[in-house]
DNA sequence: TCGTGTGAAGACGTTCACAGCT
DNA sequence: AGCTGTGAACGTCTTCACACGA
């Protein structure tokens, strides 16, 4: 069947719009125009209308979009009607910080457990999530039907742990390892490579004060 | 003048290639073919050749690319011949983890100082970088001619701190705040939004075990 | 023969511009 | 008048396919 697929980039922006809409709701607003929401999200109004077009017809010409309905529609498309349980593997510097980080909760994700090769060595100050030995990971995943994992193990163990995750049934991985992970086509991996992002910034900073040569579309916030 | 500009996405991949090349150098290799390097970097060989084409003509037909020369050429284009000093602002959970994180150093960045509104409250275990009061930030930036900053303050202070950074002369910001930062055109901002990335993964995880509907090009690692 | 370099085609994403509804 | 929805133009990125050098 022909699918009315939504482009990946649109999905990303829908998440942004969703967050903006939430702030508007708190301010007891009822409708937004494409130009207002676009400004808040840092995109072109035309692009916003195109993106929202993928959801169906929501706006009222001359008026704008109903915030509540729009927000619900986005949440449904993103598949975020229900809480998604997440596990985190690798409770080192970064992993521990991510466990203390409140941002995932705010966006509706619950990190229900963490795993580490040496859980006893983990400094659990400020961490409320239980940290187990990585040997227990597989059973935990199957028993709790966890689909999402955050991977923050050292790069040299990344592929190995990924294989375990995949075998246990994980279907999506947010990886912080600076390496290319091999996974079956059915598994989604998104990599956040901190050093690489810094390198991007560095490139666009000219040494002699001239303006940046080009705009890296996605990530730039005008 | 007509500029032979390198596309933003190519810049990003050049960083990846550079890292892969380093690993090859360690293994005492002298040349690579586009297909081998492409495989390591997780991209299409054609794309790799096109990307390297922006650097000039390096490869030898029938043989491949000389690793050393290629690596140097990329480093030059990326402007990474010399160490770039970086400061970090906001030493909370995430900020502290980033200070302990070795990945920036590995990629040739030196975090020379950190700033926080309440530096005394910061747990500096394992942190070698000095943490100063944010009041000292401005002078530090001007005196040390720092161009790059990592921003990991709470979202409600992000814009305010950004303004200070920009006024002090910072030209590139790697931000971890889930918000749109307003900066002059001369300043580059790249945002890493952790919750949004997790939301991306979540979307591509189907609830009924069918394969992912589409590939988010950039981030996916095949 | 092997593998680069590149014109040309194709896929994709963004923006314009305006018709049409309220 | 104000603002959405969308065809069409435009620009960018990716991939193909093959000529050519080693």
């Amino acid at each position: 069947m022909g699918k009315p697929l939504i482009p990946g980039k649109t999905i990303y922006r829908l998440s942004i719009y969703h967050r903006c809409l939430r702030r508007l709701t708190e301010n007891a607003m009822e409708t937004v125009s494409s130009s207002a929401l676009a400004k808040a999200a840092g995109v072109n109004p035309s692009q916003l209308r195109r993106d929202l077009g993928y959801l169906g017809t929501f706006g009222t010409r001359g008026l704008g979009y109903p915030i509540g309905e729009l927000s619900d529609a986005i949440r449904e498309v993103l598949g975020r009607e229900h809480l998604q349980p997440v596990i985190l593997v690798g409770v080192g510097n970064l992993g521990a910080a991510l466990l203390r980080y409140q941002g995932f909760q705010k966006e509706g994700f619950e990190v229900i457990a963490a795993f580490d090769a040496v859980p006893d060595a983990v400094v659990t100050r400020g961490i409320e999530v239980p940290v187990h030995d990585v040997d227990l990971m597989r059973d935990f995943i199957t028993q709790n039907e966890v689909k999402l994992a955050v991977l923050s193990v050292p790069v040299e163990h990344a592929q190995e742990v990924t294989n375990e995750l995949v075998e246990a049934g994980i279907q999506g991985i947010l990886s912080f390892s600076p390496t290319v992970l091999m996974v079956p086509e059915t598994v989604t991996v998104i990599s956040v490579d901190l050093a690489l992002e810094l390198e991007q910034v560095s490139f666009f900073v000219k040494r002699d004060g001239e303006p940046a040569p080009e705009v890296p579309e996605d990530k730039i916030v005008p």
Side-chain angles (χ1 to χ4, degrees), chain A:
Chain A
M1 333 167 188
K3 300 183 195 173
L5 279 187
I6 304 180
K9 295 204 168 173
T10 294
I11 295 292
Y12 196 90
R13 287 189 298 262
L14 285 176
S15 302
I16 300 177
Y17 306 151
H18 188 246
R19 186 186 279 158
C20 295
L21 287 170
R22 207 183 315 155
R23 249 183 291 177
L24 292 175
T25 319
E26 288 164 10
N27 292 14
M29 298 273 181
E30 299 205 340
T31 57
V32 245
S33 67
S34 63
S35 55
L37 184 51
K39 196 175 172 187
V43 303
N44 182 304
S46 228
Q47 176 145 250
L48 184 131
R49 292 203 297 278
R50 176 80 59 194
D51 285 340
L52 297 188
Y54 289 110
L55 306 179
T57 298
F58 270 95
T60 309
R61 296 179 191 227
L63 241 177
Y65 299 90
I67 294 186
E69 276 180 57
L70 185 53
S71 193
D72 290 350
I74 295 181
R75 188 160 58 248
E76 190 187 327
V77 166
L78 295 180
R80 306 301 328 288
E81 305 109 307
H82 306 294
L83 262 190
Q84 278 264 28
V86 182
I87 61 167
L88 182 144
V89 195
V91 193
N93 290 329
L94 192 59
L98 293 174
L99 287 179
R100 294 191 202 97
Y101 182 61
Q102 299 303 308
F104 293 138
Q105 273 85 335
K106 275 191 202 156
E107 218 62 41
F109 292 98
E110 191 189 2
V111 180
I112 59 172
F115 298 88
D116 196 279
V118 194
D120 297 337
V122 171
V123 179
T124 51
R125 191 190 60 88
I127 295 180
E128 310 210 335
V129 178
V131 180
H132 304 299
D133 192 287
V134 77
D135 291 338
L136 305 173
M137 187 172 79
R138 191 178 185 130
D139 286 346
F140 188 95
I141 293 172
T142 49
Q143 275 163 33
N144 295 274
E145 292 186 334
V146 184
K147 299 275 183 7
L148 294 177
V150 174
L151 184 69
S152 48
V153 300
V155 59
E156 56 271 25
H157 298 117
Q159 183 62 59
E160 168 196 336
V161 174
T162 299
N163 295 346
E164 286 181 51
L165 288 170
V166 170
E167 281 170 31
I170 288 290
Q171 289 177 29
I173 298 175
L174 177 58
S175 164
F176 290 89
S177 294
T179 186
V180 178
L181 297 175
M182 309 291 287
V183 293
E185 275 193 18
T186 50
V187 176
T188 302
V189 174
I190 288 189
S191 278
V192 174
D193 191 321
L194 301 175
L196 240 54
E197 299 295 345
L198 189 53
E199 186 128 44
Q200 290 305 290
V201 184
S202 164
F203 174 80
F204 290 102
V205 170
K206 289 284 101 183
R207 272 142 295 289
D208 289 324
E210 9 158 353
E214 190 167 329
V215 200
E217 99 264 3
D218 266 346
K219 299 299 188 59
I220 275 278
V221 231

